[in-house]
Amino acid sequence: MTAKKTSSASDCASNPPSQRLGFGGVFLLLAVGMLLVLGARANAGEFLHLSDVLPYVFWAVSAGILVLGLRLASYGGSPVLPELMLLLSALGVLVRSRMEGSVEGVGNWSLFIQPLGFVWLWLAWNFSRKGRILCFRALWPLAFLISLAVVGGLILLGSRFRGAFYGPGGLTPSELLKLFVPLALAGFFAAADQKWLRRGFWNPPIPQSAQLLMAWGLLCGLLVLQRDLGLVVLLSFMLVVMLISVTRSWSWGVLLAGAMAGGGWLVWKTMDHGARRLQAWLDPFADPTGSGWQVLQGLSGLYAGGLTGTGLGAGAPERLPIAGSDFVYAVYGEELGYIGCVLLLILFALLLRRSAEVANIQSSPFAGLLATGLTAILAVQVLVNIAGVVTLLPITGITLPYISQGGSSIWVTSVQFGLLLGMAEPGEIQKKAKSKGKSKVPSRKKSAGSRK
Amino acid sequence: MLPNPSLDFLQQILTDPAWSHLAWVFRWGFLLGFGSLLLFFPRSKSPVSPQNPRRFLSRFWAFWLVLFLLLICFRQAQWQLMGRQNEDFIAFMQRYDRREFNPAHRVRAGKILDRRGEILAYSPLSDQVIRRHYRFGPVASHAIGYNHPVYGLTGIEAAARKDLLGQDLDLKDDWAVLGAELLNREGYAEGPHVFTTLDLNMQLRASELLGDRKGAVVVLDIQNGAVLCMVSHPDFDPNRLYGGLFSGKTSGAPLLNRAVAGQYPPGSVFKVLIAAAALQNGFKGSYDTPPEGYTNSPANPRIRDHEYYAAKEKGRSWRGHGRIDLGTALAESSNVFFAQLGVETGAENLLRACHAVGLHRSFSLWQGDEATLTVKAAHVPDLKDSQPYEIAQFSIGQGSLLMSPMQVAMISAAVANKGWVNRPSLNPKTLGVPLGRLCGPAAADQLKWMMYKVVQEGTGRRMRMAELPVAAKTGTAQTGGGQASHAWFTGFAPVSKPRWAFCVLVEQGGYGSASALPIARDLFRSGIKEGWLKL
């Protein structure tokens, strides 16, 4: 046991040169971006105050503490994962500070959103690292009940604003589903994963599928009542990815295609605001000053940015209505140009690749499925949000993780990242769990042996 | 609250001229640094190697992911890099995008010209950025409006936006020409110029005459309703807009176009409309005008003539005008006479006259895509024959009646135009649109000479000019609340063959004959002297 520990520590010790450079690069990038944003603001005639610098300082300090914390607790996972997360977070801080204008006052609580997010990330990492994640394995019914309670409570108690439900203080508790639903599903599948194995869409395990269908119908029904279609799409896609992963049968993809076609038709026929969004997607010029306005303003921003962009701080996000959440990519693209957008897409691709790698190094089905679900959620959020802005898909109201405004979204993404970081370093507990599970699932051990 | 000190050193560095070059380096440095970080990150190897028997996410997903990302890149390039080939898109940005750095704005809006071709607004190019410039600053600012990247568009700039850009979302052929110029980067394509009906000379002179006083001057072409002059003071400089203008904190509401959107009690100038309605109704008689004035019940204050108050002020008594006819009553602006005349003419006839002039409805001086330059509907009280005192008040232009200088000018123009009312317009392409008929030609002719009498021997005597015979009516509208009266003066010239109808309003200017009349007189006098008004 001690030998293992020292070996993992020495693993880390061999890494530092490259790792330090990577983190240093992120901090440097933030500093350059900060000077660009503040420079544009100062040259527009604004007077700079301490509170204008604080978002960056707070981010840098908290990110620095996080890096130090990872180092001191000898984080033993993939070093690229935290680097990519921090880079994404730095870009998010730059774009958000760009849109919000000057923060009013030094004590503004929005300054603390990202630093607090790092705290949640650190906590989630500690609760899940070295196999501790497996402690949550049996809690899936609780996770499911919490999900239902969140949605139900929101319908009963929340207030409606711009077509979505909000809890007290403008929080969007439905963001929590992006955490609890994958936890619940991973536990549910892992509890009977042998029953699912190699069962395609055409011959599903009847009792389990019935349970799943009922639970899913309940959850999605409540979400549709809330008119949160984006979340239904997001979670359903994640479900299919996990189904394919647990059954190893691609036939479940049929479900995806069918659900997409049926859901689209249903939205078109029954939902007013859904039909409007579809209309704005199919032909934004049909009603350029009405339903197409937001999309076209976003695209105008992209066009104005061109290949290289106007430079951070030099764009005009105030031209774009509600730019902060759905259309943050348009603001980003206006200021950093097509090149910056391609770089951001590469960043997301690398992040997804690494988080898929986290899933693939898991030996326990629970952790593997959880990482799979989190990866799927991350992927769908990125793809659907960006595709909405560039009119590849209709607008769904899904946020761009770590870039969009909104404390709830940033915090939930932080916890997801923390879980991924924790699962990136499987440890002793997991080993124990493995040996425990030996009697339960001997077939997997065998197949492992056979592969070698 | 915590202290929030300003960062002077940072401010100094960032506003230094050298910063603009450095910012360029930083911009590229940011993109290059971002890219090199992405190149560098994947090199660090993961310390944990996958040893499990199964892949939870197969490589097939990676294929779909990359495919979708490429689709996004392709779709985004269609807009971001090749957007100029989408004519709908370019047209949208031309009309609705306010980012002045947007290359789609390389098509410049055309010039706005007055009726003789003088340039009022144009788009010069400086530092690769096109800005709208208004040659005469605040002069005609309410008519032309502004086209500003932050504050948007109003006035002719907004209404004629399509014409100024030489394009129409439905007419793509025009876009093909401009789009080709844009693609070939042959300078900066410019939209066609747009003529207006404004007369720059008249506009400049009227603006000068009104000076610092609040008020409005309107001059209409009687034949077709063309707005030759529309001045509203205080005005603003469209070249120098600032946020305070729009916050409502600026005193005097300079953005308000008093000529069309101001709502004032018209006072005695409204007697022209009452007289027209009475004449149309066949009125030929006379009324006694005792100094006790008119009222229908002791509860209502008496409506008296202004001579009564003038005499009372000097401690003398006034015996009244005696029994007078309509012509004398108009010349002397007798309230007592018109109160009785209105009551006899009846609510129905009076309201019909108001409708004929179009007081009840709003319309735009430039019918374009956007609602702008709107002449507000007048506030006309709901008259009933059972309430004669209301009618009496209405007949002397008081009570709850409110209207704009443009509408007063329309009444004068109707009298001069044989009773026909033309819709006022700033757009030379939509002239001579009839709105209605105030009265028949006989009544109009009678009234015309009565208004001439006002200038010859009545309250408008100071308007008598050898070079230009004018028919007119003065007005002094009480505003209530102990404030000074609004001064009105309206009429038309020349009497024998009318061409110009005018209306001058000076807010809180006192007597119409004292403060509003001289503006009209000097305007016409200098126009004839300098030759820009040709008889």
Side-chain angles (χ1 to χ4, degrees):
Chain A
M1 232 182 182
T2 41
K4 270 265 185 299
K5 240 180 194 169
T6 47
S7 82
S8 73
S10 68
D11 258 11
C12 260
S14 66
N15 253 322
S18 60
Q19 204 168 325
R20 205 169 294 144
L21 246 170
F23 284 124
V26 176
F27 286 103
L28 197 66
L29 205 64
L30 180 87
V32 171
M34 177 190 85
L35 286 177
L36 281 171
V37 172
L38 293 182
R41 212 179 273 170
N43 284 302
E46 225 176 282
F47 284 95
L48 300 178
H49 292 275
L50 181 62
S51 60
D52 296 319
V53 187
L54 278 185
Y56 313 101
V57 173
F58 276 33
W59 183 89
V61 169
S62 57
I65 292 174
L66 181 70
V67 170
L68 210 65
L70 287 174
R71 183 69 47 82
L72 287 178
S74 42
Y75 166 73
S78 158
V80 193
L81 205 51
E83 281 168 350
L84 289 171
M85 288 168 184
L86 278 190
L87 179 54
L88 186 62
S89 166
L91 289 174
V93 164
L94 284 173
V95 175
R96 280 195 299 277
S97 73
R98 167 73 200 95
M99 277 183 305
E100 285 156 0
S102 52
V103 180
E104 278 164 34
V106 178
N108 195 312
W109 82 279
S110 69
L111 289 172
F112 298 92
I113 290 180
Q114 185 67 65
L116 264 177
F118 286 143
V119 172
W120 308 142
L121 194 154
W122 190 83
L123 284 175
W125 170 60
N126 269 296
F127 276 117
S128 60
R129 64 186 300 215
K130 296 186 177 169
R132 283 177 209 159
I133 188 71
L134 295 180
C135 302
F136 299 98
R137 181 169 46 168
L139 295 178
W140 63 267
L142 185 66
F144 179 69
L145 285 179
I146 292 177
S147 305
L148 279 186
V150 164
V151 189
L154 210 53
I155 288 180
L156 290 177
L157 308 171
S159 50
R160 192 179 268 283
F161 178 62
R162 281 187 196 139
F165 275 97
Y166 289 80
L171 288 170
T172 46
S174 55
E175 289 279 332
L176 282 175
L177 296 194
K178 294 177 188 169
L179 204 59
F180 285 108
V181 175
L183 271 170
L185 277 181
F188 172 73
F189 284 130
D193 83 311
Q194 284 306 303
K195 299 222 165 87
W196 286 96
L197 197 62
R198 312 221 182 277
R199 304 294 291 269
F201 177 62
W202 314 112
N203 59 335
I206 300 298
Q208 280 83 6
S209 328
Q211 281 173 16
L212 185 65
L213 198 67
M214 270 159 56
W216 207 252
L218 189 57
L219 189 69
C220 288
L222 286 175
L223 281 174
V224 169
L225 268 184
Q226 271 201 48
R227 293 211 252 150
D228 202 340
L229 290 174
L231 209 54
V232 174
V233 171
L234 181 65
L235 296 177
S236 300
F237 185 84
M238 181 201 67
L239 172 69
V240 173
V241 173
M242 285 171 93
L243 270 170
I244 292 174
S245 181
V246 74
T247 59
R248 302 196 210 175
S249 162
W250 284 92
S251 61
W252 292 97
V254 175
L255 207 59
L256 200 64
M260 262 153 78
W265 183 82
L266 211 67
V267 165
W268 180 262
K269 285 289 168 205
T270 59
M271 285 196 153
D272 216 26
H273 81 297
R276 216 165 42 238
R277 282 177 174 179
L278 283 181
Q279 167 72 30
W281 168 52
L282 291 172
D283 185 10
F285 296 108
D287 184 12
T289 54
S291 62
W293 179 257
Q294 203 184 11
V295 175
L296 286 174
Q297 280 293 338
L299 293 173
S300 301
L302 286 180
Y303 180 77
L307 184 66
T308 58
T310 59
L312 265 171
E318 61 275 11
R319 301 276 166 273
L320 188 56
I322 332 176
S325 54
D326 293 9
F327 278 81
V328 71
Y329 184 72
V331 176
Y332 177 91
E334 180 180 338
E335 302 204 331
L336 290 173
Y338 191 70
I339 296 177
C341 285
V342 171
L343 290 175
L344 184 68
L345 291 180
I346 294 175
L347 168 58
F348 276 123
L350 290 176
L351 192 62
L352 287 170
R353 184 194 144 196
R354 291 295 168 175
S355 75
E357 186 186 279
V358 170
N360 286 335
I361 60 170
Q362 304 302 322
S363 47
S364 103
F366 173 71
L369 285 170
L370 181 59
T372 301
L374 295 180
T375 308
I377 285 187
L378 188 63
V380 176
Q381 286 190 88
V382 170
L383 295 180
V384 171
N385 176 284
I386 294 179
V389 172
V390 302
T391 68
L392 200 60
L393 291 177
I395 296 299
T396 47
I398 289 178
T399 53
L400 193 59
Y402 255 28
I403 307 276
S404 289
Q405 277 168 347
S408 323
S409 166
I410 291 173
W411 286 348
V412 167
T413 309
S414 295
V415 175
Q416 289 175 336
F417 282 177
L419 291 178
L420 283 172
L421 278 188
M423 287 187 282
E425 36 170 2
E428 301 104 63
I429 299 178
Q430 194 175 340
K431 293 271 157 62
K432 257 187 245 162
K434 231 186 195 172
S435 55
K436 234 194 224 167
K438 206 186 217 170
S439 53
K440 255 190 196 166
V441 276
S443 60
R444 176 162 308 126
K445 264 284 178 198
K446 249 183 224 165
S447 67
S450 66
R451 198 180 251 194
K452 270 176 193 169
Chain B
M1 208 63 199
L2 296 162
N4 193 8
S6 59
L7 301 174
D8 292 328
F9 67 101
L10 199 60
Q11 187 93 24
Q12 270 173 15
I13 295 170
L14 294 177
T15 49
D16 196 88
W19 170 252
S20 58
H21 302 286
L22 208 57
W24 191 83
V25 176
F26 273 32
R27 257 181 66 189
W28 280 101
F30 188 87
L31 286 177
L32 283 175
F34 188 5
S36 49
L37 275 180
L38 290 182
L39 274 179
F40 168 79
F41 279 164
R43 293 210 179 156
S44 38
K45 287 250 165 59
S46 171
V48 183
S49 51
Q51 290 175 341
N52 70 319
R54 73 192 272 194
R55 300 182 70 87
F56 285 90
L57 280 163
S58 75
R59 284 187 192 280
F60 200 49
W61 286 113
F63 166 77
W64 285 111
L65 176 73
V66 170
L67 185 73
F68 202 88
L69 287 176
L70 285 177
L71 266 176
I72 286 178
C73 285
F74 176 71
R75 187 73 175 141
Q76 189 176 348
Q78 276 187 333
W79 295 107
Q80 192 162 16
L81 305 180
M82 298 180 289
R84 66 173 56 145
Q85 282 160 16
N86 185 336
E87 285 163 351
D88 282 336
F89 187 39
I90 291 285
F92 173 84
M93 289 193 284
Q94 279 290 325
R95 288 177 69 190
Y96 300 116
D97 183 55
R98 308 246 191 282
R99 299 168 179 88
E100 56 189 272
F101 50 82
N102 191 334
H105 295 209
R106 270 204 282 263
V107 178
R108 294 192 255 180
K111 301 180 180 78
I112 296 179
L113 310 173
D114 88 333
R115 59 200 292 257
R116 290 192 183 81
E118 284 283 348
I119 297 171
L120 301 176
Y122 64 112
S123 294
L125 181 71
S126 64
D127 278 344
Q128 303 291 307
V129 172
I130 295 163
R131 282 176 203 281
R132 200 68 168 153
H133 185 72
Y134 301 88
R135 256 181 83 204
F136 298 96
V139 173
S141 54
H142 289 104
I144 301 170
Y146 48 80
N147 172 4
H148 192 274
V150 174
Y151 304 114
L153 298 105
T154 59
I156 294 173
E157 288 279 24
R161 182 91 179 128
K162 261 190 199 171
D163 306 308
L164 287 167
L165 293 170
Q167 54 89 11
D168 190 313
L169 278 174
D170 309 324
L171 296 175
K172 297 229 182 99
D173 291 347
D174 295 335
W175 262 111
V177 179
L178 286 172
E181 285 180 69
L182 199 73
L183 276 171
N184 300 330
R185 306 215 173 207
E186 284 172 4
Y188 290 74
E190 185 174 354
H193 51 245
V194 163
F195 275 98
T196 65
T197 60
L198 289 174
D199 185 319
L200 176 64
N201 291 310
M202 201 185 282
Q203 193 79 24
L204 283 167
R205 187 75 181 117
S207 184
E208 185 187 333
L209 287 168
L210 199 53
D212 295 336
R213 289 174 286 183
K214 287 183 193 172
V217 179
V218 172
V219 180
L220 297 177
D221 187 317
I222 285 166
Q223 305 302 323
N224 52 23
V227 180
L228 300 174
C229 168
M230 183 170 75
V231 173
S232 169
H233 274 198
D235 51 12
F236 59 94
D237 188 348
N239 295 318
R240 289 185 197 81
L241 297 178
Y242 56 97
L245 267 181
F246 300 87
S247 64
K249 284 175 193 153
T250 324
S251 69
L255 288 180
L256 175 71
N257 187 354
R258 289 166 160 75
V260 298
Q263 300 248 286
Y264 304 95
S268 302
V269 289
F270 197 63
K271 287 170 186 165
V272 176
L273 184 134
I274 304 294
L279 287 170
Q280 181 66 17
N281 198 28
F283 177 79
K284 285 199 180 71
S286 57
Y287 289 109
D288 192 22
T289 55
E292 301 87 61
Y294 168 88
T295 187
N296 66 333
S297 111
N300 294 322
R302 291 172 170 275
I303 293 171
R304 298 179 200 260
D305 283 324
H306 59 92
E307 284 89 349
Y308 169 86
Y309 297 104
K312 195 181 169 192
E313 215 165 84
K314 288 174 189 157
R316 278 180 266 171
S317 66
W318 179 66
R319 288 185 302 161
H321 292 299
R323 198 164 187 89
I324 51 174
D325 63 359
L326 182 57
T328 315
L330 198 69
E332 299 300 334
S333 196
S334 169
N335 291 338
V336 182
F337 182 95
F338 273 91
Q340 298 172 67
L341 180 65
V343 174
E344 194 199 305
T345 308
E348 195 186 328
N349 286 322
L350 295 180
L351 288 177
R352 189 186 299 146
C354 290
H355 274 245
V357 190
L359 291 188
H360 60 293
R361 66 181 209 198
S362 63
F363 60 89
S364 175
L365 293 179
W366 194 298
Q367 309 237 303
D369 325 328
E370 312 203 15
T372 177
L373 290 167
T374 306
V375 180
K376 251 182 152 173
H379 184 265
V380 180
D382 191 17
L383 297 180
K384 288 186 194 82
D385 281 327
S386 56
Q387 293 168 320
Y389 190 76
E390 309 285 314
I391 299 181
Q393 273 196 317
F394 178 81
S395 304
I396 61 165
Q398 299 286 168
S400 59
L401 173 69
L402 297 173
M403 57 201 290
S404 65
M406 180 63 74
Q407 286 160 330
V408 173
M410 282 162 71
I411 296 174
S412 292
V415 172
N417 195 25
K418 302 187 175 72
W420 286 105
V421 184
N422 281 315
R423 192 182 72 201
S425 172
L426 280 163
N427 186 352
K429 289 176 187 161
T430 58
L431 293 176
V433 181
L435 270 184
R437 186 156 209 192
L438 175 61
C439 56
D445 196 55
Q446 255 181 300
L447 188 53
K448 184 166 107 176
W449 294 108
M450 287 179 189
M451 285 174 76
Y452 181 57
K453 194 177 165 190
V454 172
V455 173
Q456 289 306 306
E457 47 199 70
T459 52
R461 281 188 299 278
R462 287 187 226 178
M463 192 70 195
R464 240 156 54 186
M465 291 186 287
E467 61 268 41
L468 185 69
V470 179
K473 179 77 193 80
T474 57
T476 308
Q478 278 153 15
T479 52
Q483 286 179 311
S485 306
H486 293 324
W488 286 95
F489 191 61
T490 184
F492 51 88
V495 175
S496 49
K497 201 174 168 245
R499 294 182 56 190
W500 309 295
F502 61 86
C503 173
V504 179
L505 162 79
V506 181
E507 269 183 38
Q508 274 129 37
Y511 284 110
S513 57
S515 58
L517 185 149
I519 293 175
R521 185 186 59 205
D522 294 350
L523 182 66
F524 282 108
R525 197 167 267 169
S526 43
I528 285 164
K529 201 169 141 198
E530 290 163 20
W532 42 266
L533 279 184
K534 290 206 178 64
L535 288 170

